[in-house]
Amino acid sequence: MKHDKLHMMLIAMLGGTALAGSAFAHGDDSMFKSMDTNGDGQISSSEHAAGVTAMFASMDTDKDGFVTTAEMDAAHASMKGGGDMKKMSSADKIGKMDTDGDGKMSSAEHDAGAAKMFTEMDTDKSGGLSMAEMNAGHMRADKDKTKDKSAMKDHSEHSGHDAPPASTPPSDANGG
């Protein structure tokens, strides 16, 4: 049970979703505690790294060193409630970390993305994540996703087909 919650939280964190953030926001600190393996009230970078390594290995079902959208979809499907696919698809999640553009996520890309997320969430630069930092980080991620979706919608609605009318050039003094 503890492993399932850790797995769910790590998929949520590293996939860029707010599933874990929703749980934190509702006072469910069991996921946080499962990552805090030494029980000091902070998730250290080494605890985080160990968790993300284990999570990647569990998603990489064919053990080729990459996670594909199919593997991530399967991991989400195995989560209680089917994961949080409404917010961001597996392809979008992988796309955020897929730095070489091959359509799949390597363990190196995954580790780099996780480390970046950890650093961004560690707002007090203590080297560890508190429950408050986790909550705040996931709320920021929610807002960013909402903003991204709004911007994409606005961009598609204003894709240049309804450009503002050209202004009429001023007439010269001779009426022409």
Side-chain angles (χ1 to χ4, degrees):
M1 174 89 158
K2 185 176 180 178
H3 175 72
D4 291 341
K5 285 188 176 188
L6 175 62
H7 185 242
M8 180 173 68
M9 181 182 169
L10 289 170
I11 288 173
M13 283 178 61
L14 298 171
T17 70
L19 179 63
S22 299
F24 290 139
H26 292 95
D28 180 8
D29 65 351
S30 63
M31 285 193 248
F32 181 89
K33 286 179 181 175
S34 69
M35 287 190 74
D36 180 18
T37 57
N38 68 0
D40 68 351
Q42 296 274 314
I43 298 172
S44 69
S45 62
S46 61
E47 288 170 322
H48 187 261
V52 300
T53 298
M55 191 272 296
F56 184 89
S58 71
M59 283 196 301
D60 182 17
T61 55
D62 64 5
K63 305 302 178 205
D64 67 350
F66 296 92
V67 171
T68 63
T69 55
E71 287 172 319
M72 188 176 281
D73 286 343
H76 283 251
S78 72
M79 292 168 46
K80 191 178 204 178
D84 193 17
M85 298 302 292
K86 290 180 225 164
K87 296 200 184 246
M88 186 181 275
S89 71
S90 293
D92 290 339
K93 291 173 190 177
I94 288 173
K96 287 209 172 262
M97 292 185 173
D98 179 20
T99 56
D100 65 7
D102 65 356
K104 54 190 176 183
M105 180 174 51
S106 70
S107 60
E109 289 168 329
H110 185 257
D111 291 350
K116 180 179 182 226
M117 181 183 294
F118 181 90
T119 301
E120 289 171 359
M121 289 175 41
D122 183 17
T123 55
D124 67 2
K125 305 303 176 207
S126 68
L129 299 178
S130 66
M131 175 73 91
E133 287 173 315
M134 291 288 274
N135 283 331
H138 287 289
M139 285 188 271
R140 274 193 308 273
D142 264 348
K143 287 179 187 174
D144 290 346
K145 277 182 263 164
T146 303
K147 259 194 282 187
D148 288 348
K149 285 183 180 182
S150 293
M152 288 187 333
K153 182 179 177 195
D154 288 347
H155 179 70
S156 66
E157 288 174 357
H158 302 290
S159 61
H161 296 291
D162 28 35
S167 61
T168 307
S171 58
D172 60 37
N174 296 329

